[in-house]
């Protein structure tokens, strides 16, 4: 097979060379790597001509709308990650006979750990304290002890369940909510399921772990955020589209919240003017929740999906149903 990665990024090039390009070449397949942008739709479509498949990193956002139907002979889209539906029109791919694969549950523990890291960093004002010492000062700012406080987890997928367990292990009173009830999964979770409004009204910290879909877009509204107790904490390592970020920033500016930790943004890198950067307890990280050595296996697994497809035994196939 002959494949192309159009949306490559320099930071991933060595990993992909070692774990994907070289193993594919050893089996007689070719993956060409380009660090280009999807913003130029015509150039993106032109780059893909003559290839059997595309390997999508996904950091730039979805494939251009016309892409799939404009690349004759395309057979495979190998997506590097879990949420392929957000980046590829899977229903259209199916109608065109194109197989879409992904890497399910590749970084649940890594993302969950980052959510907890942000929670600790906000609660104990770690970046702020670090800046004080680096400036040669010794001012001590009051933090929050997490044990005994209430953690609300929005979403009981693989990542959310990890966060629930970690919060419980920290001695927090955990409650959670999911769009659909999942008794076979939730029966083994510590804490309890509550309505979404109650979760916000009673949680000292809320961590978001929903998938972004048309139904979940904007689900964490200004009205819900207003229900939070004084000095609450909001953590988002899921998708920016879930959250009314402007409303969150307004609460921070009013001093209603103790702080927030965000790892995901509507545009990446974000437009910093949209955030109250003067707020000392707003922590922003560059979408690194899954960036650990272990989670970087996602690139290798996406490459292995290509080999399985080429061998006539496709795996991790994503469907529209």
């Amino acid at each position: 097979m002959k494949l192309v990665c159009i949306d490559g990024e320099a930071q991933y090039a060595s990993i992909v060379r070692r774990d994907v390009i070289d193993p594919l070449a050893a089996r007689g397949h070719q993956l060409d790597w380009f660090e280009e942008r999807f913003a130029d739709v015509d150039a993106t479509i032109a780059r893909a001509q003559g290839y059997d498949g595309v390997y999508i990193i996904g950091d730039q956002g979805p494939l251009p709308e016309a892409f799939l139907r404009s690349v004759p002979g395309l057979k495979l889209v190998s997506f590097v990650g879990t949420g392929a539906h957000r980046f590829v029109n899977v229903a259209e791919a199916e109608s065109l006979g194109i197989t879409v694969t992904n890497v399910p549950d590749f970084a649940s523990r890594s993302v969950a750990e980052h959510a907890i890291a942000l929670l600790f960093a906000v609660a104990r004002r770690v970046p702020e304290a670090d800046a004080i010492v680096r400036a040669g000062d010794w001012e001590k700012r009051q933090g929050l002890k997490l044990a005994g406080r209430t953690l609300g987890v929005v979403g009981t997928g693989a990542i959310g369940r990890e966060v629930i367990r970690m919060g419980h292990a920290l001695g927090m009173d955990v409650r959670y909510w999911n769009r659909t009830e999942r008794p076979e999964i939730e029966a083994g979770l510590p804490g309890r399921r509550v309505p979404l409004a109650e979760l916000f009204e009673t949680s000292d910290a809320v961590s978001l772990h929903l998938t972004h879909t048309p139904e979940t877009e904007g689900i964490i509204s200004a009205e819900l955020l207003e229900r939070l107790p004084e000095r609450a904490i909001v953590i988002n390592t899921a998708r920016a589209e879930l959250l009314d970020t402007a409303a969150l920033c307004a609460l921070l500016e009013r001093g209603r919240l103790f702080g927030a930790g965000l790892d995901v943004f509507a545009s990446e890198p974000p437009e910093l003017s949209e955030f109250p950067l003067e707020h000392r307890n707003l922590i922003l990280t560059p979408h690194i929740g899954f960036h650990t050595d272990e989670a970087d296996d996602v690139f290798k697994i996406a490459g292995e999906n290509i080999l399985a497809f080429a061998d006539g035994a496709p795996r991790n196939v994503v469907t529209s149903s």
Side-chain angles (χ1 to χ4, degrees), residues 82-118:
T82 301
H85 287 87
R86 186 168 180 262
F87 299 88
V88 184
N89 186 331
V90 177
E92 181 183 25
E94 288 176 340
S95 71
L96 294 169
I98 301 168
T99 299
V100 179
T101 61
N102 73 346
V103 183
D105 192 22
F106 73 92
S108 298
R109 181 73 185 196
S110 294
V111 178
E113 287 182 0
H114 192 64
I116 296 297
L118 286 173

Side-chain angles (χ1 to χ4, degrees), residues 4-72:
V4 63
C5 178
I6 301 168
D7 65 331
E9 295 191 17
Q11 62 180 317
Y12 305 132
S14 61
I15 297 172
V16 172
R17 167 66 63 184
R18 181 193 67 204
D19 292 344
V20 184
I21 295 176
D22 290 347
L24 284 174
R27 295 277 296 275
H29 305 292
Q30 174 183 336
L31 173 62
D32 294 331
W33 173 269
F34 298 97
E35 295 171 12
E36 298 175 352
R37 307 295 297 175
F38 287 167
D40 188 333
V41 176
D42 291 340
T44 299
I45 291 172
R47 175 64 77 190
Q49 299 302 313
Y51 287 94
D52 304 306
V54 291
Y55 181 90
I56 300 178
I57 303 296
D59 283 359
Q60 291 185 32
L63 276 172
E65 184 178 346
F67 183 88
L68 294 177
R69 60 181 179 270
S70 301
V71 185

